[in-house]
Amino acid sequence: MSIEGRGDAVGGRLRLGMVGGGQGAFIGAVHRMAARLDDRWVLAAGALSSDPVRARASALELGIAEDRAYASYQDMLAAEAGRADRIDAVAIVTPNHMHYPVARAALEAGFDVICDKPLTATVAEAEALADLVATSGRLFAVTYNYTGYPLIRQARAMVAAGAIGDIRVVQVEYPQAWLTEPIEQGGQKQADWRTDPARSGAGGCVGDIGTHAYDLARFVSGLEAEAILAELTTFVPGRRLDDNVGVLIRYRGGARGMLWASQVAPGNENGLRLRVYGSRGGLEWSQEDPNYLWFTPLGEPKRRITRGGDGASPEAGRLTRVPFGHPEGYIEGFANIYREIADALAARKSGGAVDPAVVFPDVADGLAGVRFVAAAVKSASAGGTWVPLA
């Protein structure tokens, strides 16, 4: 991220320690780009691989000081806890099976935590973390990063204000194509662990991108699911986890939802799309065209709302960096999550109150996502039965 993490002074920026995300990793680099975009964070320490040699080499490549290039997360937490310039938060960007032990250890050592999704591999682990966060008083964020897009914030505010009336239908989809062939059998790193039950958990596609779709629908609609019916399919021969997911959702209050996620859909790239329909209108948003939100009041022509343009709300405006016509996308949306976390931590460090406008996914959202994955696996295993969500 920056060699500036070597000094004692970081100009008011928060110090980040990272677990995972070393050489060859995808999401770790995304977290680092997102964290530094607004100059609120500096990468000060890291245990970037389970291989001590790779961990050290990765840290030095990123400009981390030699004495803060740790061989393991246990070493990092123990050493950083005793430093006057200790890290302010731990970012966990490992495969799923390591989220729980690292997060638990970080909380017990007194650190705030930023964890990639899903929160954990099992519901029991997620519930244990939620309890620990409650008793520790630490901040815990889960990077459901699509909630950071400005127009997703606007859609959420419009739904809450009643712009589309009472919600009736929620449709969310997330198709990709990258696992159409068994690339994990050739050693492709990202595919290898995502299709391994021991590292990914019981859900494949449903835990990797289905949980993103579920969280986005939940975030915008404000609705909680009471039960789901799921079909998880593994199309690629020899693959050990699902690569295509279809879910029916019954929401509390009577609304209905449908979720489709697939990693074997040729012609698709990263097609996360959300549509929410109510008694007075509808909203549509696509992650591949994120600078526009479509709003259709009942009986009126469809309206395009542009990020930063006329009709953009304060909720969208506070997370907009450049004027309309200059596209913002994935990294900026991810960076908004890091900005919100930085605002919350800075307020707490100064003894002030956190601005109510500051919003980021927390441990409760992470727990909801893990419960969704577990319920989907249970429903599919039973042949497609309705499974209640706690």
Side-chain angles (χ1 to χ4, degrees), residues 176-191:
Q176 299 174 333
W178 74 291
L179 290 178
T180 299
E181 296 183 311
I183 58 175
E184 66 269 24
Q185 296 177 16
Q188 207 272 7
K189 181 176 180 179
Q190 301 305 317

Side-chain angles (χ1 to χ4, degrees), residues 18-22 45-60 64-80 94 98 102:
M18 182 168 284
V19 180
L48 302 181
S49 173
S50 57
D51 178 341
V53 174
R54 177 174 287 185
R56 176 179 172 79
S58 299
L60 296 182
I64 294 175
E66 289 191 24
D67 64 334
R68 301 179 92 165
Y70 299 103
S72 69
Y73 74 87
Q74 295 95 331
D75 289 348
M76 185 182 81
L77 297 176
E80 290 294 322
T94 64
M98 290 301 297
V102 178

Side-chain angles (χ1 to χ4, degrees), residues 18-252:
M18 182 168 284
V19 180
Q23 295 170 337
F26 162 67
I27 201 63
V30 172
H31 276 254
R32 292 190 291 270
M33 287 185 280
R36 71 170 173 245
L37 186 60
D38 293 305
D39 207 24
R40 302 291 302 278
W41 297 88
V42 59
L43 184 63
L48 302 181
S49 173
S50 57
D51 178 341
V53 174
R54 177 174 287 185
R56 176 179 172 79
S58 299
L60 296 182
E61 282 182 4
L62 292 170
I64 294 175
E66 289 191 24
D67 64 334
R68 301 179 92 165
Y70 299 103
S72 69
Y73 74 87
Q74 295 95 331
D75 289 348
M76 185 182 81
L77 297 176
E80 290 294 322
R83 295 183 66 112
D85 61 345
R86 59 179 271 165
I87 55 177
D88 294 290
V90 176
I92 303 170
V93 295
T94 64
N96 303 347
H97 72 297
M98 290 301 297
H99 290 182
Y100 174 72
V102 178
R104 183 178 185 90
L107 290 169
E108 291 176 340
F111 292 103
D112 298 306
V113 175
I114 304 166
C115 184
D116 205 64
K117 61 80 218 160
L119 175 61
T120 60
T122 70
V123 172
E125 290 175 344
E127 290 175 342
L129 278 187
D131 289 343
L132 185 54
V133 170
T135 56
S136 70
R138 307 312 308 180
L139 180 147
F140 198 109
V142 179
T143 51
Y144 281 119
N145 55 289
Y146 298 108
T147 64
Y149 280 89
L151 290 178
I152 283 296
R153 297 299 179 92
Q154 172 143 356
R156 183 175 190 251
M158 291 177 69
V159 168
I164 63 171
D166 296 328
I167 297 177
R168 293 173 173 171
V169 178
V170 179
Q171 299 266 27
V172 62
E173 62 181 53
Y174 198 160
Q176 299 174 333
W178 74 291
L179 290 178
T180 299
E181 296 183 311
I183 58 175
E184 66 269 24
Q185 296 177 16
Q188 207 272 7
K189 181 176 180 179
Q190 301 305 317
D192 182 52
W193 75 258
R194 282 177 168 81
T195 57
D196 177 5
R199 289 177 287 172
S200 184
C205 177
V206 68
D208 190 26
I209 61 174
T211 185
H212 267 307
Y214 179 75
D215 179 78
L216 188 68
R218 182 173 172 267
F219 182 81
V220 171
S221 71
L223 299 177
E224 296 289 349
E226 64 180 14
I228 65 170
L229 184 154
E231 182 176 53
L232 310 186
T233 307
T234 304
F235 281 110
V236 176
R239 181 163 290 160
R240 291 176 288 171
L241 291 172
D242 60 277
D243 49 31
N244 190 84
V245 182
V247 184
L248 297 178
I249 305 171
R250 290 176 179 165
Y251 288 106
R252 296 173 191 169

